[in-house]
Amino acid sequence: MATTRGAGSKRSQEAAETRENILDVAMREFADKGLAGARIDEIAEKTNSSKRMIYYYFGGKDELYRAVLERAYERIRRQEQAAQFETLEPVEALRAIVGHNFDYHFEHPEFVRLVMNENVHHGEHIAQVAGIKGRNQSVIAQLGAILDKGVAKGVFRPGIDPVDLHTTISALSFYNVSNRHTFLHNFGIDFADPAYRAKRREQIVQAVLGWVQAR
Amino acid sequence: MATTRGAGSKRSQEAAETRENILDVAMREFADKGLAGARIDEIAEKTNSSKRMIYYYFGGKDELYRAVLERAYERIRRQEQAAQFETLEPVEALRAIVGHNFDYHFEHPEFVRLVMNENVHHGEHIAQVAGIKGRNQSVIAQLGAILDKGVAKGVFRPGIDPVDLHTTISALSFYNVSNRHTFLHNFGIDFADPAYRAKRREQIVQAVLGWVQAR
Amino acid sequence: MATTRGAGSKRSQEAAETRENILDVAMREFADKGLAGARIDEIAEKTNSSKRMIYYYFGGKDELYRAVLERAYERIRRQEQAAQFETLEPVEALRAIVGHNFDYHFEHPEFVRLVMNENVHHGEHIAQVAGIKGRNQSVIAQLGAILDKGVAKGVFRPGIDPVDLHTTISALSFYNVSNRHTFLHNFGIDFADPAYRAKRREQIVQAVLGWVQAR
Amino acid sequence: MATTRGAGSKRSQEAAETRENILDVAMREFADKGLAGARIDEIAEKTNSSKRMIYYYFGGKDELYRAVLERAYERIRRQEQAAQFETLEPVEALRAIVGHNFDYHFEHPEFVRLVMNENVHHGEHIAQVAGIKGRNQSVIAQLGAILDKGVAKGVFRPGIDPVDLHTTISALSFYNVSNRHTFLHNFGIDFADPAYRAKRREQIVQAVLGWVQAR
DNA sequence: GATGAATGAGTGTTCATTCAT
DNA sequence: TATGAATGAACACTCATTCAT
């Protein structure tokens, strides 16, 4: 019981803090500049510890990036599961899910940018992260349940694939964060403007509901 | 007429070919690996000429990237203007525009990936490319005209901002290319599959029309 | 007292040696070929360490050059202050200073060549080295004190500006090192020849004394 | 007489102008940046002709530099011989020579900087330029004649070597141009200031005369 | 004589990673 | 655990020079 290196020891707690601190900094850097653009030296400098610790805890740049990616996915899935949309009526549930999804993207641009970056790298790193794949099924299951209930109640039309619904919701939410900079330059619209954001949120809710609802 | 060194001389034509060849290769590399990930040496190697020529014609890596970016935008705008959607009835015109937009993204993943990369870099390079901004207004004008006609005919509901419409169309088309790799890993769906593509194309057309049409 | 990693640790001492070794080699190379002509690769090769270390310790070629320049100036000023000319009689003091100045230039051609090179570069680098300017005032103060004492004793004529005196001394000493090669070619005289050197040293002492002494 | 390529033809005159124009530009560039720092591309750009012509007329960078060096020496020797100092009384002649030498350096910093640069390169290029060596003897002969006359008249002391006299004059004149930038930084004196220049000119005349004159 | 296009060898610099203490 | 020192492979970029017309 008196081990100095047990799970609850002071040492291991400090170690966990160091790890978390590195992950925090690395997430910011990778999200900001991408995997190829981020610099290990710069990450280390912004950390409370040193470059050596990055290698000690994570092994290398790519492994650190994967740990960051995994944590980012964990967080969005945890949030999605925390909300209890199933208790709501189908239309209200979907409205809440779309709004929540839009908000999450908006408030977590690091997540969006990490996913963009991962696609730039042809998804080669996410493929090496165990445990991301499985967690995603619950989102689909959740949407499937709501769709079923809505169809049964006659408020949604049948034949909507829950994966397609998720794709539509994500696409509309994602774009408003991912393409912020080029859109601002090309059309002079600032996706980050609060007034615009509120308006766009409602538009997306309407577009998704309109597509799913029975006529 | 007998100029030996005019704009159409053999030499200058070869030079233009060299330039185009470099741009072709560079576009592929930048689209494939991003600005930070692409290597000048590798681009040069895949070229019919040499690394030195890249600097001769473009000045540096960033300038080459900007030239590639500019050309990619030129191409999509040229295609958009080539199609004569205005002669169609509003609903048919919109259906054609959405389908065309979806197809263009699908068939030009380099464009999508360049835009992704540009957003990764916070749009700092597109801001330095003169002549992209202006060209985009015609897309909005085109959509605006169709919306007006549709509202006048009572087939579209009033109050739709053509920029928002463009955002919705682009978001849905963009995502199916930009997030191809992470989506495949997370949900097992291959956006590039021809059968999926056809299904998704129609879904997007329906979603957009459903959002715009009067009820 | 039992610190294992203080300023005097073995590691940090080795690091200081590495730094000094790089400075030594770089001084020789920059003095030999100038800033533009010296090659980082060649400097690194002649070093006990590597090219990478040059960047680790100095940041770049220009910064290394500036560090070399600063050290060269530090050394000449330290030598000037070490000698205690003020205790001598004015004429003897001036004779000693001129001789010492001539000898220093002669025995430190790297210093002369670095200064030449710096003038080739319009003094742009010395302007960025903090701490050189201040140190020079002591030379002028020293000459001023000797001049004042000599004037008071009636052995020097009044009205000599110590800065002008320093200019005259330096000019005569500098030229015999700086213009060694062109002079040898143009007039067949080898400034480095020991017999010539001794003769020239005395000439310069005489010329300076003759200019300063009362008649 | 009617040859189209004779020495006086229009073609050859244009060729000579092209050559001179290249030499003018090259002298400015080499004087400004040194041999290693000057760029063939930049020289060509500032020329009325092209890079190809530099190679056509001079063969390469080093040969161009040597041609520039040769012309610079030709000019100073021509000026020295143009002035008829021998007709003056010894003291006046020497005074005139020193003043003239000082002025020439002052008004021709390109010459001073080319000589500096040549010494940076250990005089390896001047050694390859035929015809510079010989021309220098006349300067020494001129000084020797004046010294002899002065000694005979009892105004100069005997035993002064004309080469040493030339060295002293040159050293004092050279320094005020060559070390302009470092001196300004180190002591805050601007050698190029007109008031300073006039004062310094007289000082140098006095110092040289004082050294040579009998007491 | 004249021009733009092309080239290979080099030149300063940066990167992720490992070592010694 | 922790730190500064060290490394080699790669990277973007430049230069004097030559070729084809």
Side-chain angles (χ1 to χ4, degrees):
Chain A
M1 264 313 178
T3 50
T4 42
R5 302 178 76 105
S9 76
K10 197 180 160 197
R11 291 281 298 254
S12 73
Q13 188 196 324
E14 277 171 7
E17 277 168 17
T18 300
R19 248 189 79 101
E20 281 300 301
N21 174 242
I22 291 172
L23 280 173
D24 286 344
V25 173
M27 163 164 277
R28 254 175 276 142
E29 287 293 308
F30 285 134
D32 192 40
K33 295 162 193 164
L35 171 56
R39 299 287 165 248
I40 284 279
D41 278 273
E42 209 167 338
I43 292 172
E45 209 162 80
K46 295 179 177 173
T47 279
N48 293 332
S49 57
S50 71
K51 188 159 56 162
R52 187 66 191 79
M53 286 299 95
I54 293 174
Y55 286 90
Y56 184 77
Y57 282 119
F58 299 96
K61 190 188 188 184
D62 285 10
E63 288 93 331
L64 174 59
Y65 168 77
R66 280 181 217 126
V68 162
L69 197 62
E70 182 169 21
R71 202 177 61 155
Y73 267 102
E74 262 171 28
R75 286 182 177 177
I76 188 174
R77 296 309 169 218
R78 206 182 308 142
Q79 282 239 11
E80 276 163 350
Q81 289 167 4
Q84 298 295 336
F85 302 118
E86 294 90 343
T87 62
L88 301 172
E89 282 301 292
V91 170
E92 286 314 302
L94 189 52
R95 189 189 301 274
I97 282 177
V98 174
H100 176 271
N101 189 280
F102 179 84
D103 290 339
Y104 190 89
H105 283 80
F106 213 93
E107 286 152 19
H108 295 280
E110 15 21 278
F111 171 74
V112 172
R113 293 178 63 85
L114 283 173
V115 173
M116 285 172 77
N117 179 75
E118 184 53 18
N119 278 290
V120 164
H121 286 269
H122 304 275
E124 59 177 319
H125 296 101
I126 204 178
Q128 296 176 56
V129 180
I132 287 187
K133 201 168 181 174
R135 268 193 284 274
N136 294 301
Q137 293 310 321
S138 60
V139 190
I140 304 303
Q142 186 183 49
L143 285 175
I146 290 169
L147 278 173
D148 287 347
K149 203 155 88 176
V151 170
K153 293 203 172 191
V155 294
F156 293 161
R157 65 187 168 84
I160 300 273
D161 181 335
V163 176
D164 291 337
L165 177 56
H166 176 71
T167 306
T168 300
I169 296 169
S170 289
L172 291 167
S173 297
F174 202 90
Y175 189 85
N176 272 78
V177 179
S178 67
N179 288 41
R180 195 170 276 180
H181 300 103
T182 49
F183 205 90
L184 174 58
H185 180 262
N186 289 329
F187 301 102
I189 302 291
D190 182 5
F191 285 166
D193 176 74
Y196 172 85
R197 176 189 169 178
K199 182 188 89 168
R200 182 67 184 155
R201 187 187 197 272
E202 192 51 29
Q203 275 178 9
I204 291 176
V205 169
Q206 290 303 329
V208 172
L209 280 177
W211 180 55
V212 173
Q213 283 178 312
R215 300 154 194 237
Chain B
M1 267 307 178
T3 50
T4 42
R5 212 172 23 248
S9 78
K10 198 179 162 194
R11 290 280 298 194
S12 72
Q13 187 195 324
E14 277 171 5
E17 277 167 18
T18 299
R19 243 190 83 100
E20 282 299 301
N21 173 243
I22 291 172
L23 279 173
D24 286 343
V25 173
M27 164 164 277
R28 256 175 272 144
E29 287 293 308
F30 284 134
D32 192 39
K33 294 161 193 164
L35 172 56
R39 299 288 164 244
I40 285 279
D41 278 275
E42 208 166 335
I43 292 172
E45 212 161 76
K46 295 180 178 172
T47 279
N48 292 332
S49 59
S50 70
K51 180 162 60 162
R52 189 61 194 76
M53 282 295 94
I54 293 174
Y55 287 91
Y56 183 73
Y57 280 115
F58 299 96
K61 191 187 187 182
D62 285 11
E63 287 95 327
L64 175 60
Y65 169 77
R66 281 181 218 127
V68 163
L69 198 62
E70 183 169 22
R71 203 176 60 156
Y73 267 101
E74 261 171 28
R75 285 182 178 175
I76 188 174
R77 296 308 170 220
R78 207 181 308 142
Q79 281 239 10
E80 277 163 348
Q81 290 168 2
Q84 298 294 337
F85 302 117
E86 294 90 343
T87 61
L88 301 172
E89 282 300 292
V91 172
E92 287 314 300
L94 189 52
R95 187 189 301 273
I97 282 177
V98 175
H100 175 272
N101 190 280
F102 180 84
D103 291 339
Y104 191 88
H105 283 79
F106 215 93
E107 286 152 20
H108 295 279
E110 345 72 63
F111 172 73
V112 172
R113 295 177 63 84
L114 284 172
V115 173
M116 286 171 77
N117 178 76
E118 184 52 17
N119 278 288
V120 164
H121 286 267
H122 304 273
E124 60 177 320
H125 296 101
I126 204 178
Q128 297 176 55
V129 180
I132 287 187
K133 203 168 180 173
R135 269 192 285 275
N136 295 301
Q137 293 311 321
S138 60
V139 189
I140 304 305
Q142 187 183 48
L143 285 176
I146 290 167
L147 279 172
D148 288 347
K149 204 155 86 175
V151 170
K153 292 202 173 191
V155 294
F156 291 160
R157 63 186 171 85
I160 300 273
D161 182 335
V163 175
D164 291 337
L165 177 56
H166 176 71
T167 307
T168 301
I169 296 169
S170 287
L172 292 166
S173 298
F174 202 90
Y175 190 83
N176 273 78
V177 179
S178 68
N179 288 41
R180 194 171 276 180
H181 301 101
T182 49
F183 205 91
L184 174 59
H185 179 261
N186 288 330
F187 301 103
I189 302 291
D190 182 4
F191 285 166
D193 176 74
Y196 172 84
R197 173 188 170 180
K199 183 189 88 170
R200 183 66 184 155
R201 186 185 198 273
E202 192 51 29
Q203 276 179 8
I204 291 176
V205 168
Q206 289 303 328
V208 173
L209 280 177
W211 181 55
V212 172
Q213 284 177 312
R215 290 143 203 245
Chain C
M1 264 309 175
T3 49
T4 42
R5 209 170 29 245
S9 78
K10 197 179 161 194
R11 289 282 299 194
S12 71
Q13 188 195 324
E14 277 171 5
E17 277 167 18
T18 300
R19 245 190 81 102
E20 282 299 303
N21 173 241
I22 290 171
L23 279 173
D24 286 344
V25 173
M27 164 164 278
R28 256 174 272 143
E29 287 293 308
F30 284 135
D32 191 38
K33 295 161 193 164
L35 171 56
R39 299 286 164 248
I40 285 279
D41 278 277
E42 208 167 337
I43 292 172
E45 211 161 78
K46 295 179 178 174
T47 280
N48 292 332
S49 59
S50 70
K51 182 160 62 160
R52 188 61 191 77
M53 283 294 95
I54 292 174
Y55 286 89
Y56 182 72
Y57 281 114
F58 299 96
K61 190 188 188 183
D62 285 11
E63 287 94 330
L64 174 59
Y65 169 77
R66 281 182 218 126
V68 162
L69 198 63
E70 183 169 22
R71 202 176 62 154
Y73 267 101
E74 260 172 29
R75 285 183 177 177
I76 189 173
R77 296 307 171 220
R78 207 182 308 143
Q79 281 240 10
E80 277 163 350
Q81 290 167 3
Q84 297 294 338
F85 302 118
E86 295 89 342
T87 61
L88 301 172
E89 283 300 292
V91 171
E92 286 314 301
L94 189 52
R95 189 190 300 275
I97 283 177
V98 174
H100 176 271
N101 190 280
F102 179 84
D103 290 341
Y104 191 89
H105 282 80
F106 214 93
E107 286 152 19
H108 295 280
E110 345 69 67
F111 172 73
V112 172
R113 294 177 62 84
L114 283 173
V115 174
M116 286 171 77
N117 179 75
E118 185 52 17
N119 279 288
V120 165
H121 286 269
H122 304 274
E124 60 177 321
H125 295 101
I126 203 178
Q128 297 176 56
V129 180
I132 287 188
K133 203 167 181 174
R135 267 194 284 274
N136 295 301
Q137 293 311 322
S138 61
V139 190
I140 304 304
Q142 188 182 47
L143 285 175
I146 291 168
L147 279 172
D148 287 346
K149 202 155 91 176
V151 170
K153 295 204 172 189
V155 293
F156 292 160
R157 63 187 171 85
I160 300 272
D161 181 335
V163 176
D164 290 338
L165 177 56
H166 176 71
T167 307
T168 300
I169 297 168
S170 287
L172 291 167
S173 297
F174 202 90
Y175 190 83
N176 272 78
V177 180
S178 68
N179 287 41
R180 195 170 275 180
H181 300 102
T182 49
F183 205 90
L184 174 58
H185 179 261
N186 289 330
F187 301 102
I189 302 291
D190 183 4
F191 284 166
D193 176 73
Y196 172 84
R197 174 189 171 179
K199 182 189 86 170
R200 182 66 184 158
R201 188 185 196 273
E202 193 50 30
Q203 276 178 10
I204 290 176
V205 168
Q206 290 303 329
V208 172
L209 280 177
W211 180 55
V212 173
Q213 283 178 310
R215 293 142 203 247
Chain D
M1 264 310 179
T3 49
T4 43
R5 303 178 76 105
S9 76
K10 197 181 161 196
R11 291 282 295 254
S12 71
Q13 187 194 324
E14 277 172 6
E17 277 169 16
T18 300
R19 249 190 79 101
E20 281 300 300
N21 173 243
I22 291 172
L23 281 173
D24 285 344
V25 173
M27 162 164 279
R28 255 175 274 144
E29 287 294 307
F30 285 134
D32 191 40
K33 295 161 193 165
L35 171 57
R39 299 288 164 249
I40 283 279
D41 278 274
E42 208 167 338
I43 292 172
E45 210 162 80
K46 294 180 179 174
T47 280
N48 292 332
S49 57
S50 71
K51 186 157 58 162
R52 188 65 191 81
M53 285 300 93
I54 293 174
Y55 285 90
Y56 184 79
Y57 282 119
F58 299 95
K61 191 188 188 185
D62 285 10
E63 287 93 331
L64 174 60
Y65 169 76
R66 281 182 216 125
V68 163
L69 197 63
E70 183 169 22
R71 202 176 63 156
Y73 267 102
E74 262 171 29
R75 285 182 179 176
I76 188 174
R77 295 309 170 220
R78 207 182 308 142
Q79 280 238 11
E80 277 163 349
Q81 289 167 2
Q84 298 294 336
F85 302 116
E86 294 91 342
T87 61
L88 300 172
E89 281 301 291
V91 170
E92 286 314 302
L94 188 52
R95 187 189 301 274
I97 282 177
V98 174
H100 175 271
N101 190 279
F102 180 83
D103 291 339
Y104 190 88
H105 282 80
F106 214 93
E107 286 153 18
H108 295 280
E110 351 60 74
F111 172 73
V112 172
R113 293 177 64 84
L114 284 172
V115 173
M116 286 172 77
N117 179 75
E118 184 53 15
N119 278 288
V120 165
H121 285 269
H122 304 275
E124 60 177 318
H125 297 101
I126 204 178
Q128 297 176 56
V129 179
I132 287 187
K133 201 167 182 173
R135 267 192 287 273
N136 294 302
Q137 292 312 321
S138 60
V139 189
I140 304 305
Q142 186 183 48
L143 284 175
I146 291 169
L147 278 173
D148 287 347
K149 204 154 89 177
V151 171
K153 293 203 172 188
V155 294
F156 291 160
R157 64 186 168 85
I160 300 273
D161 181 334
V163 175
D164 290 338
L165 178 57
H166 176 70
T167 306
T168 300
I169 296 168
S170 287
L172 291 167
S173 298
F174 201 89
Y175 190 83
N176 274 77
V177 180
S178 68
N179 288 40
R180 194 170 276 181
H181 300 102
T182 49
F183 205 89
L184 174 59
H185 179 262
N186 288 330
F187 300 102
I189 302 291
D190 183 4
F191 285 167
D193 175 74
Y196 172 84
R197 175 189 170 177
K199 182 188 88 168
R200 183 66 185 155
R201 186 186 197 274
E202 192 51 30
Q203 276 178 9
I204 291 176
V205 168
Q206 290 303 328
V208 172
L209 280 177
W211 180 55
V212 171
Q213 284 177 311
R215 294 146 200 245

